[in-house]
Amino acid sequence: TALLWTARPALVAGAGAAIGCGCVWVGLALAAMFNLPPSFLVVTLAFVAWAVSAALRGRSAAHGTSGHAHDHHHPPAVRLSA
């Protein structure tokens, strides 16, 4: 999920850890509130975070607003003329 937002290793590690911890804590709280298995909720929250991130990144890429002014890791697609 973090890799969808940045390709910088330190930021990916930090954001990934924050997303993971957030999913665990929210999942545990919801499990206690609704008497559901915590593993299901943690994985579901992590999936939802990924799905929302992928949808937002896909939408911004479709509109040409990737958020990266100069991205060395994802160069622009080369268009071949007919």
Side-chain angles (χ1 to χ4, degrees), residues 53-78:
S53 294
L56 291 175
R57 294 298 293 166
R59 179 178 295 174
S60 66
H63 293 294
T65 58
S66 66
H68 298 289
H70 192 65
D71 188 356
H72 294 286
H73 298 284
H74 304 99
V78 176

PDB file of all heavy atoms in Angstrom, residues 53-78:
ATOM      1  N   SER A  53      -6.177   2.990  -1.881  1.00  0.00           N
ATOM      2  CA  SER A  53      -4.960   3.603  -2.415  1.00  0.00           C
ATOM      3  C   SER A  53      -4.810   3.310  -3.900  1.00  0.00           C
ATOM      4  O   SER A  53      -4.470   4.207  -4.684  1.00  0.00           O
ATOM      5  CB  SER A  53      -3.733   3.092  -1.666  1.00  0.00           C
ATOM      6  OG  SER A  53      -3.762   3.522  -0.332  1.00  0.00           O
ATOM      7  N   ALA A  54      -5.053   2.076  -4.303  1.00  0.00           N
ATOM      8  CA  ALA A  54      -4.935   1.715  -5.715  1.00  0.00           C
ATOM      9  C   ALA A  54      -5.963   2.465  -6.549  1.00  0.00           C
ATOM     10  O   ALA A  54      -5.657   2.935  -7.657  1.00  0.00           O
ATOM     11  CB  ALA A  54      -5.104   0.206  -5.883  1.00  0.00           C
ATOM     12  N   ALA A  55      -7.176   2.599  -6.048  1.00  0.00           N
ATOM     13  CA  ALA A  55      -8.213   3.316  -6.788  1.00  0.00           C
ATOM     14  C   ALA A  55      -7.859   4.795  -6.913  1.00  0.00           C
ATOM     15  O   ALA A  55      -8.021   5.385  -7.989  1.00  0.00           O
ATOM     16  CB  ALA A  55      -9.562   3.148  -6.101  1.00  0.00           C
ATOM     17  N   LEU A  56      -7.378   5.393  -5.834  1.00  0.00           N
ATOM     18  CA  LEU A  56      -7.011   6.809  -5.882  1.00  0.00           C
ATOM     19  C   LEU A  56      -5.817   7.040  -6.793  1.00  0.00           C
ATOM     20  O   LEU A  56      -5.779   8.019  -7.534  1.00  0.00           O
ATOM     21  CB  LEU A  56      -6.721   7.330  -4.478  1.00  0.00           C
ATOM     22  CG  LEU A  56      -7.930   7.433  -3.556  1.00  0.00           C
ATOM     23  CD1 LEU A  56      -7.491   7.850  -2.156  1.00  0.00           C
ATOM     24  CD2 LEU A  56      -8.951   8.412  -4.109  1.00  0.00           C
ATOM     25  N   ARG A  57      -4.827   6.172  -6.736  1.00  0.00           N
ATOM     26  CA  ARG A  57      -3.655   6.312  -7.602  1.00  0.00           C
ATOM     27  C   ARG A  57      -4.034   6.090  -9.062  1.00  0.00           C
ATOM     28  O   ARG A  57      -3.528   6.765  -9.935  1.00  0.00           O
ATOM     29  CB  ARG A  57      -2.543   5.350  -7.198  1.00  0.00           C
ATOM     30  CG  ARG A  57      -1.953   5.648  -5.848  1.00  0.00           C
ATOM     31  CD  ARG A  57      -1.301   6.997  -5.792  1.00  0.00           C
ATOM     32  NE  ARG A  57      -0.138   6.983  -6.655  1.00  0.00           N
ATOM     33  CZ  ARG A  57       0.503   8.067  -7.052  1.00  0.00           C
ATOM     34  NH1 ARG A  57       0.105   9.238  -6.661  1.00  0.00           N
ATOM     35  NH2 ARG A  57       1.550   7.984  -7.838  1.00  0.00           N
ATOM     36  N   GLY A  58      -4.924   5.143  -9.310  1.00  0.00           N
ATOM     37  CA  GLY A  58      -5.377   4.907 -10.681  1.00  0.00           C
ATOM     38  C   GLY A  58      -6.140   6.095 -11.225  1.00  0.00           C
ATOM     39  O   GLY A  58      -5.983   6.484 -12.368  1.00  0.00           O
ATOM     40  N   ARG A  59      -6.965   6.697 -10.390  1.00  0.00           N
ATOM     41  CA  ARG A  59      -7.740   7.869 -10.813  1.00  0.00           C
ATOM     42  C   ARG A  59      -6.818   9.052 -11.086  1.00  0.00           C
ATOM     43  O   ARG A  59      -6.970   9.749 -12.070  1.00  0.00           O
ATOM     44  CB  ARG A  59      -8.748   8.238  -9.742  1.00  0.00           C
ATOM     45  CG  ARG A  59      -9.568   9.458 -10.118  1.00  0.00           C
ATOM     46  CD  ARG A  59     -10.591   9.777  -9.088  1.00  0.00           C
ATOM     47  NE  ARG A  59     -11.560   8.679  -9.044  1.00  0.00           N
ATOM     48  CZ  ARG A  59     -12.524   8.590  -8.168  1.00  0.00           C
ATOM     49  NH1 ARG A  59     -12.654   9.520  -7.250  1.00  0.00           N
ATOM     50  NH2 ARG A  59     -13.354   7.579  -8.178  1.00  0.00           N
ATOM     51  N   SER A  60      -5.820   9.277 -10.209  1.00  0.00           N
ATOM     52  CA  SER A  60      -4.926  10.409 -10.421  1.00  0.00           C
ATOM     53  C   SER A  60      -4.032  10.180 -11.637  1.00  0.00           C
ATOM     54  O   SER A  60      -3.719  11.118 -12.358  1.00  0.00           O
ATOM     55  CB  SER A  60      -4.085  10.688  -9.177  1.00  0.00           C
ATOM     56  OG  SER A  60      -3.192   9.623  -8.936  1.00  0.00           O
ATOM     57  N   ALA A  61      -3.643   8.932 -11.889  1.00  0.00           N
ATOM     58  CA  ALA A  61      -2.827   8.643 -13.068  1.00  0.00           C
ATOM     59  C   ALA A  61      -3.637   8.835 -14.348  1.00  0.00           C
ATOM     60  O   ALA A  61      -3.123   9.295 -15.363  1.00  0.00           O
ATOM     61  CB  ALA A  61      -2.281   7.221 -12.992  1.00  0.00           C
ATOM     62  N   ALA A  62      -4.918   8.512 -14.300  1.00  0.00           N
ATOM     63  CA  ALA A  62      -5.772   8.681 -15.476  1.00  0.00           C
ATOM     64  C   ALA A  62      -5.963  10.151 -15.807  1.00  0.00           C
ATOM     65  O   ALA A  62      -6.149  10.516 -16.963  1.00  0.00           O
ATOM     66  CB  ALA A  62      -7.127   8.016 -15.231  1.00  0.00           C
ATOM     67  N   HIS A  63      -5.895  11.015 -14.791  1.00  0.00           N
ATOM     68  CA  HIS A  63      -6.053  12.450 -15.010  1.00  0.00           C
ATOM     69  C   HIS A  63      -4.719  13.159 -15.190  1.00  0.00           C
ATOM     70  O   HIS A  63      -4.677  14.380 -15.287  1.00  0.00           O
ATOM     71  CB  HIS A  63      -6.810  13.080 -13.836  1.00  0.00           C
ATOM     72  CG  HIS A  63      -8.225  12.620 -13.743  1.00  0.00           C
ATOM     73  ND1 HIS A  63      -9.159  12.924 -14.691  1.00  0.00           N
ATOM     74  CD2 HIS A  63      -8.864  11.867 -12.828  1.00  0.00           C
ATOM     75  CE1 HIS A  63     -10.321  12.388 -14.366  1.00  0.00           C
ATOM     76  NE2 HIS A  63     -10.158  11.724 -13.222  1.00  0.00           N
ATOM     77  N   GLY A  64      -3.637  12.382 -15.183  1.00  0.00           N
ATOM     78  CA  GLY A  64      -2.317  12.974 -15.386  1.00  0.00           C
ATOM     79  C   GLY A  64      -1.771  13.709 -14.184  1.00  0.00           C
ATOM     80  O   GLY A  64      -0.873  14.518 -14.312  1.00  0.00           O
ATOM     81  N   THR A  65      -2.288  13.434 -13.015  1.00  0.00           N
ATOM     82  CA  THR A  65      -1.810  14.089 -11.799  1.00  0.00           C
ATOM     83  C   THR A  65      -1.259  13.038 -10.856  1.00  0.00           C
ATOM     84  O   THR A  65      -1.818  12.765  -9.815  1.00  0.00           O
ATOM     85  CB  THR A  65      -2.945  14.870 -11.106  1.00  0.00           C
ATOM     86  OG1 THR A  65      -3.999  13.941 -10.810  1.00  0.00           O
ATOM     87  CG2 THR A  65      -3.455  15.979 -11.979  1.00  0.00           C
ATOM     88  N   SER A  66      -0.143  12.447 -11.232  1.00  0.00           N
ATOM     89  CA  SER A  66       0.414  11.359 -10.437  1.00  0.00           C
ATOM     90  C   SER A  66       0.966  11.828  -9.102  1.00  0.00           C
ATOM     91  O   SER A  66       1.224  11.027  -8.221  1.00  0.00           O
ATOM     92  CB  SER A  66       1.516  10.643 -11.211  1.00  0.00           C
ATOM     93  OG  SER A  66       2.608  11.510 -11.418  1.00  0.00           O
ATOM     94  N   GLY A  67       1.170  13.136  -8.953  1.00  0.00           N
ATOM     95  CA  GLY A  67       1.677  13.631  -7.683  1.00  0.00           C
ATOM     96  C   GLY A  67       3.187  13.686  -7.624  1.00  0.00           C
ATOM     97  O   GLY A  67       3.757  14.266  -6.733  1.00  0.00           O
ATOM     98  N   HIS A  68       3.857  13.091  -8.598  1.00  0.00           N
ATOM     99  CA  HIS A  68       5.309  13.108  -8.633  1.00  0.00           C
ATOM    100  C   HIS A  68       5.758  14.015  -9.767  1.00  0.00           C
ATOM    101  O   HIS A  68       5.485  13.760 -10.933  1.00  0.00           O
ATOM    102  CB  HIS A  68       5.867  11.699  -8.855  1.00  0.00           C
ATOM    103  CG  HIS A  68       5.508  10.750  -7.760  1.00  0.00           C
ATOM    104  ND1 HIS A  68       6.053  10.840  -6.500  1.00  0.00           N
ATOM    105  CD2 HIS A  68       4.656   9.712  -7.721  1.00  0.00           C
ATOM    106  CE1 HIS A  68       5.557   9.885  -5.739  1.00  0.00           C
ATOM    107  NE2 HIS A  68       4.703   9.190  -6.459  1.00  0.00           N
ATOM    108  N   ALA A  69       6.474  15.084  -9.420  1.00  0.00           N
ATOM    109  CA  ALA A  69       6.934  16.007 -10.442  1.00  0.00           C
ATOM    110  C   ALA A  69       7.985  15.351 -11.328  1.00  0.00           C
ATOM    111  O   ALA A  69       8.004  15.542 -12.535  1.00  0.00           O
ATOM    112  CB  ALA A  69       7.506  17.257  -9.778  1.00  0.00           C
ATOM    113  N   HIS A  70       8.859  14.555 -10.727  1.00  0.00           N
ATOM    114  CA  HIS A  70       9.890  13.879 -11.503  1.00  0.00           C
ATOM    115  C   HIS A  70      10.115  12.513 -10.873  1.00  0.00           C
ATOM    116  O   HIS A  70      10.770  12.398  -9.845  1.00  0.00           O
ATOM    117  CB  HIS A  70      11.166  14.705 -11.494  1.00  0.00           C
ATOM    118  CG  HIS A  70      12.176  14.231 -12.477  1.00  0.00           C
ATOM    119  ND1 HIS A  70      11.958  14.279 -13.832  1.00  0.00           N
ATOM    120  CD2 HIS A  70      13.394  13.690 -12.317  1.00  0.00           C
ATOM    121  CE1 HIS A  70      13.017  13.791 -14.456  1.00  0.00           C
ATOM    122  NE2 HIS A  70      13.899  13.431 -13.543  1.00  0.00           N
ATOM    123  N   ASP A  71       9.597  11.483 -11.470  1.00  0.00           N
ATOM    124  CA  ASP A  71       9.631  10.143 -10.893  1.00  0.00           C
ATOM    125  C   ASP A  71      10.604   9.270 -11.678  1.00  0.00           C
ATOM    126  O   ASP A  71      10.320   8.874 -12.797  1.00  0.00           O
ATOM    127  CB  ASP A  71       8.221   9.547 -10.914  1.00  0.00           C
ATOM    128  CG  ASP A  71       8.119   8.238 -10.174  1.00  0.00           C
ATOM    129  OD1 ASP A  71       9.159   7.743  -9.693  1.00  0.00           O
ATOM    130  OD2 ASP A  71       7.017   7.703 -10.087  1.00  0.00           O
ATOM    131  N   HIS A  72      11.760   8.977 -11.102  1.00  0.00           N
ATOM    132  CA  HIS A  72      12.756   8.158 -11.783  1.00  0.00           C
ATOM    133  C   HIS A  72      12.378   6.685 -11.817  1.00  0.00           C
ATOM    134  O   HIS A  72      12.851   5.945 -12.658  1.00  0.00           O
ATOM    135  CB  HIS A  72      14.117   8.292 -11.079  1.00  0.00           C
ATOM    136  CG  HIS A  72      14.687   9.655 -11.176  1.00  0.00           C
ATOM    137  ND1 HIS A  72      15.235  10.145 -12.343  1.00  0.00           N
ATOM    138  CD2 HIS A  72      14.786  10.654 -10.270  1.00  0.00           C
ATOM    139  CE1 HIS A  72      15.658  11.377 -12.135  1.00  0.00           C
ATOM    140  NE2 HIS A  72      15.386  11.713 -10.880  1.00  0.00           N
ATOM    141  N   HIS A  73      11.526   6.257 -10.896  1.00  0.00           N
ATOM    142  CA  HIS A  73      11.179   4.847 -10.809  1.00  0.00           C
ATOM    143  C   HIS A  73      10.090   4.438 -11.787  1.00  0.00           C
ATOM    144  O   HIS A  73       9.956   3.275 -12.107  1.00  0.00           O
ATOM    145  CB  HIS A  73      10.736   4.498  -9.380  1.00  0.00           C
ATOM    146  CG  HIS A  73      11.820   4.718  -8.381  1.00  0.00           C
ATOM    147  ND1 HIS A  73      12.869   3.869  -8.238  1.00  0.00           N
ATOM    148  CD2 HIS A  73      12.028   5.711  -7.495  1.00  0.00           C
ATOM    149  CE1 HIS A  73      13.673   4.310  -7.307  1.00  0.00           C
ATOM    150  NE2 HIS A  73      13.180   5.438  -6.832  1.00  0.00           N
ATOM    151  N   HIS A  74       9.299   5.386 -12.224  1.00  0.00           N
ATOM    152  CA  HIS A  74       8.207   5.099 -13.151  1.00  0.00           C
ATOM    153  C   HIS A  74       8.234   6.100 -14.290  1.00  0.00           C
ATOM    154  O   HIS A  74       7.500   7.079 -14.270  1.00  0.00           O
ATOM    155  CB  HIS A  74       6.854   5.163 -12.429  1.00  0.00           C
ATOM    156  CG  HIS A  74       6.788   4.252 -11.257  1.00  0.00           C
ATOM    157  ND1 HIS A  74       6.988   4.684  -9.961  1.00  0.00           N
ATOM    158  CD2 HIS A  74       6.572   2.918 -11.173  1.00  0.00           C
ATOM    159  CE1 HIS A  74       6.894   3.666  -9.135  1.00  0.00           C
ATOM    160  NE2 HIS A  74       6.640   2.583  -9.843  1.00  0.00           N
ATOM    161  N   PRO A  75       9.095   5.860 -15.272  1.00  0.00           N
ATOM    162  CA  PRO A  75       9.193   6.820 -16.367  1.00  0.00           C
ATOM    163  C   PRO A  75       7.905   6.839 -17.194  1.00  0.00           C
ATOM    164  O   PRO A  75       7.141   5.879 -17.184  1.00  0.00           O
ATOM    165  CB  PRO A  75      10.363   6.284 -17.205  1.00  0.00           C
ATOM    166  CG  PRO A  75      10.464   4.861 -16.856  1.00  0.00           C
ATOM    167  CD  PRO A  75       9.986   4.731 -15.439  1.00  0.00           C
ATOM    168  N   PRO A  76       7.655   7.955 -17.888  1.00  0.00           N
ATOM    169  CA  PRO A  76       6.430   8.025 -18.697  1.00  0.00           C
ATOM    170  C   PRO A  76       6.462   6.993 -19.815  1.00  0.00           C
ATOM    171  O   PRO A  76       7.521   6.613 -20.305  1.00  0.00           O
ATOM    172  CB  PRO A  76       6.455   9.446 -19.245  1.00  0.00           C
ATOM    173  CG  PRO A  76       7.862   9.894 -19.130  1.00  0.00           C
ATOM    174  CD  PRO A  76       8.462   9.146 -17.975  1.00  0.00           C
ATOM    175  N   ALA A  77       5.281   6.550 -20.197  1.00  0.00           N
ATOM    176  CA  ALA A  77       5.176   5.547 -21.266  1.00  0.00           C
ATOM    177  C   ALA A  77       5.617   6.157 -22.591  1.00  0.00           C
ATOM    178  O   ALA A  77       5.343   7.317 -22.889  1.00  0.00           O
ATOM    179  CB  ALA A  77       3.755   5.040 -21.360  1.00  0.00           C
ATOM    180  N   VAL A  78       6.294   5.364 -23.386  1.00  0.00           N
ATOM    181  CA  VAL A  78       6.727   5.810 -24.706  1.00  0.00           C
ATOM    182  C   VAL A  78       5.626   5.496 -25.694  1.00  0.00           C
ATOM    183  O   VAL A  78       5.145   4.357 -25.771  1.00  0.00           O
ATOM    184  CB  VAL A  78       8.035   5.102 -25.119  1.00  0.00           C
ATOM    185  CG1 VAL A  78       8.444   5.492 -26.531  1.00  0.00           C
ATOM    186  CG2 VAL A  78       9.138   5.398 -24.131  1.00  0.00           C
TER     187      VAL A  78
END
